[in-house]
Amino acid sequence: MEHKDNLLGVLKSIFKWKKQILYVCLAAGIGSVVISLFLDNYYQSVTNFYAASPDQALPEPVGAEVTDRDYYGEPEDIDRILTIAESNEIADYLINKYHLYAHYEIDSTHRLAPFKVKKQFYKLYNVKKTKFDAVEISVEDKDPKLAARMVNDARERVSLIAQNIIKANQQQKINTFITAIKDKNEELLALGDSLQDLRQEYGVYNTETQSEGLAELIAKAEARLARERARRSILAPKPRISRDTIAMLDAMLEGYEKQIEQLNATMDKFNEGISKIKVLEEIHEESREQLSLDTERLKQLQAVYNSS
């Protein structure tokens, strides 16, 4: 004997109990309508926004033109914004600002009050990333105006916290530049004092022109000495030339010799000190250029820090 599966038995049972099933469905429907009429209406407010790229908070490099700066944040920037939006800092801020203990009718003196108010808050507060990579915050509440204020306030608070994270990093860089500029100024003062001492010690005041001037003076003095020696050698044998003239020539020759000796000593001292002074001058110039660069970078950082 073959047994075939069919729904005739089920249909017979439904038909047999059709009145009872109909009554139950009607009662459930009417009950749902009645219950829904007594439930509070909740209104949802939603805000959508995009994460900005942290590159927007970078100062323009000195002497460089930036052409590849990003305007919208990368996935990690979006994740950072989502983390901030879902943080306890945002929840505590909204709970305290809008007195949600009283609004949710939770006894704030109860030991579990913080847990209960957070549980109720997160039932009505939601954060997610949309399919277009925007951040969406939504708030539900019986009061539609309160929901709108809360969701807008949450967005602004997220923006403020995100900016403060970046500004804290900027402030650290500003402090670093301020310290570097202070140290560089002190270094320049020390280098200036050392240069002044060396110039006085070696008599070097202009490394470019002084060397040429000394060489020219020595050459002229040696030329005069040679000329006067030749003059004396010609005049000395002449009987008509008085001894006073020859003595005067000898004195002039001795003066030229001492002048050349003094000039050579000055040149030797100049050559001894010029290398030391040139090294200090190069260091001083590099320090001045670095100070100028650091000062400009500090101004740019401070301008970005003070902007929104």
Side-chain angles (χ1 to χ4, degrees), residues 10 15 24 30 33 35 39 42 48 50 53 77 85 105 126-127 132 160 172 188 196 202 226 235 245 251 271 280 307:
V10 176
F15 187 77
V24 171
I30 294 170
V33 171
I35 292 172
L39 291 176
Y42 277 83
N48 289 277
Y50 285 92
S53 171
D77 302 315
E105 298 179 352
N126 185 50
V127 179
F132 301 110
L160 178 63
Q172 186 176 4
L188 281 171
Q196 186 176 1
Y202 293 102
L235 295 178
T245 300
N271 290 332
L280 276 183
S307 66

Side-chain angles (χ1 to χ4, degrees), residues 45 94 97-98 143-154:
S45 288
L94 295 175
K97 180 173 181 178
Y98 293 99
D143 183 350
K145 292 182 179 179
L146 178 62
R149 290 200 305 271
M150 286 178 64
V151 79
N152 288 330
D153 222 353

Side-chain angles (χ1 to χ4, degrees), residues 24-43:
V24 171
C25 291
L26 286 173
I30 294 170
S32 299
V33 171
V34 172
I35 292 172
S36 64
L37 290 174
F38 285 97
L39 291 176
D40 293 322
N41 291 325
Y42 277 83
Y43 302 90

Side-chain angles (χ1 to χ4, degrees), residues 49-171:
F49 56 93
Y50 285 92
S53 171
D55 288 350
Q56 298 300 307
L58 296 177
E60 298 287 349
V62 177
E65 182 178 353
V66 180
T67 58
D68 58 348
R69 178 161 293 182
D70 293 326
Y71 292 93
Y72 296 100
E74 299 294 330
E76 58 269 21
D77 302 315
I78 299 172
D79 291 341
R80 182 176 63 254
I81 296 298
L82 289 170
T83 302
I84 294 172
E86 294 173 337
S87 67
N88 281 328
E89 185 172 353
I90 297 295
D92 291 336
Y93 170 75
L94 295 175
I95 288 170
N96 293 329
K97 180 173 181 178
Y98 293 99
H99 311 289
L100 296 187
Y101 281 98
H103 186 67
Y104 294 154
E105 298 179 352
I106 296 173
D107 182 6
S108 60
T109 62
H110 194 279
R111 64 183 185 86
L112 295 178
F115 168 76
K116 290 181 178 180
V117 76
K118 287 278 183 69
K119 183 178 179 181
Q120 180 64 20
F121 173 79
Y122 281 116
K123 281 182 181 179
L124 306 174
Y125 176 87
N126 185 50
V127 179
K128 68 178 182 180
K129 182 175 75 172
T130 70
K131 63 180 180 180
F132 301 110
D133 288 336
V135 177
E136 180 181 289
I137 299 177
S138 63
V139 174
E140 295 181 30
D141 200 85
K142 301 174 187 178
D143 183 350
K145 292 182 179 179
L146 178 62
R149 290 200 305 271
M150 286 178 64
V151 79
N152 288 330
D153 222 353
R155 182 194 63 237
E156 296 304 318
R157 193 69 177 181
V158 169
S159 176
L160 178 63
I161 294 172
Q163 287 191 49
N164 286 342
I165 292 173
I166 295 174
K167 286 186 180 294
N169 181 261
Q170 291 174 343
Q171 184 63 61

Side-chain angles (χ1 to χ4, degrees), residues 172-222:
Q172 186 176 4
K173 290 182 179 179
I174 287 172
N175 293 338
T176 300
F177 272 105
I178 290 174
T179 301
I181 289 171
K182 180 183 177 183
D183 293 343
K184 193 64 67 178
N185 276 318
E186 292 177 355
E187 179 184 335
L188 281 171
L189 288 174
L191 287 171
D193 291 341
S194 298
L195 270 173
Q196 186 176 1
D197 292 341
L198 283 175
R199 286 189 175 116
Q200 289 178 350
E201 180 180 353
Y202 293 102
V204 180
Y205 301 101
N206 191 317
T207 56
E208 299 297 329
T209 61
Q210 198 171 350
S211 177
E212 297 177 2
L214 280 172
E216 185 178 353
L217 287 174
I218 291 172
K220 287 181 178 180
E222 288 177 342

